[in-house]
Amino acid sequence: MRRLAYFLAAVSVLAAAPALLSPAYGRADQEVFVTKIPPGYRDWKLVSVAHEEGNLNDIRAILGNDAAIKAYRSGKLPFPDGAIIARIAWSYVPSEENNKIFGRQQSFVAGPPREWYLQFMVKDSKKYAATGGWGYAQFDKDGKPASEAKLKTCYPCHEPIKARDFLFTRYTP
Amino acid sequence: MRRLAYFLAAVSVLAAAPALLSPAYGRADQEVFVTKIPPGYRDWKLVSVAHEEGNLNDIRAILGNDAAIKAYRSGKLPFPDGAIIARIAWSYVPSEENNKIFGRQQSFVAGPPREWYLQFMVKDSKKYAATGGWGYAQFDKDGKPASEAKLKTCYPCHEPIKARDFLFTRYTP
């Protein structure tokens, strides 16, 4: 019995080997994603800000952990493993309070969290080799992660900016 | 001669005393302002973001030093001495790069610094007693401080929100 067990174990390892060694490993259909909200992101330094119209309809801040901010400020690409970018999206709302004081309609501020409140890009060139070295994550306003089907749409959209290490946002001093 | 010098010195101190002791000290026409850019502000944590239309035409980030962020998060008013709020204003520009990838006009990002790039509010309840305990500062994109005439317009505009310790911006988690 013991010899048979060894034999079966050896067979199962060999059976798995082609999948591990195949160049197909790391293809888009085997993408891995970030599934937990990186702790402390709300304390990170600011990369920049933006407003998205259309369905997104948000005003957003892009923050970076220390490794990301250092990389942004140095201008060196690619970003090092350990760098994390956070994107926080709030509702884009007119501020009646500000407008009253200014005496005209002009002020738009960050309201409640948008439906897809948080996004992250986590750099790990080995773990996320299939998607340019970045793992993608998205969480709704209740902290629930997006489906794998939704997360699969991240990388194709970032791919056109490969020359900037897949980062849309530029650092604004 | 020495006795005369002492006498004249004493007279000049006495002459100044009424101005120093008078309740008029600290009136709006004797406002004091912040004249130097607080160091390290670009590393501070994010309070919130906003977009101003009209002449301002900017997209902005509001940052706070640790004392300010702690006060914002605690919800306690007034803010303690030492708290500093920074407002950075960038040009509000459409991102052709992003729009091309999204396939529609929707993305507005932070461009070059706006003319009045930086504003600060520095809390010192004694030094800035005449203006609600906050000292105001404004610097252009070259780091040049605003004129005293211009800085005199800060406090009257912030006065209507005295109930929130003169702070327009709410912290967005």
Side-chain angles (χ1 to χ4, degrees), chain B residues 128-152:
Chain B
Y128 306 118
T131 49
W134 290 102
Y136 292 86
Q138 187 156 301
F139 301 90
D140 72 10
K141 54 191 170 188
D142 301 316
K144 206 186 136 197
S147 69
E148 214 169 289
K150 189 170 177 68
L151 289 172
K152 274 186 199 294

Side-chain angles (χ1 to χ4, degrees), chain B residues 33-115:
Chain B
F33 304 103
V34 179
T35 52
K36 281 182 185 161
I37 295 177
Y41 72 89
R42 189 60 184 77
D43 287 338
W44 294 350
K45 289 168 188 161
L46 182 75
V47 177
S48 196
V49 293
H51 162 52
E52 297 293 338
E53 290 187 346
N55 291 342
L56 292 172
N57 192 26
D58 67 45
I59 187 160
R60 46 179 59 197
I62 296 87
L63 308 180
N65 69 356
D66 285 342
I69 293 289
K70 200 177 158 191
Y72 260 124
R73 289 179 178 168
S74 77
K76 276 182 209 150
L77 295 177
F79 275 41
D81 283 6
I84 312 180
I85 316 290
R87 191 283 279 137
I88 313 178
W90 296 279
S91 304
Y92 179 72
V93 294
S95 170
E96 287 181 28
E97 184 178 53
N98 293 5
N99 290 339
K100 202 186 283 177
I101 292 167
F102 276 113
R104 55 186 179 270
Q105 297 290 317
Q106 71 159 55
S107 194
F108 295 86
V109 297
R114 284 288 292 149
E115 193 186 342

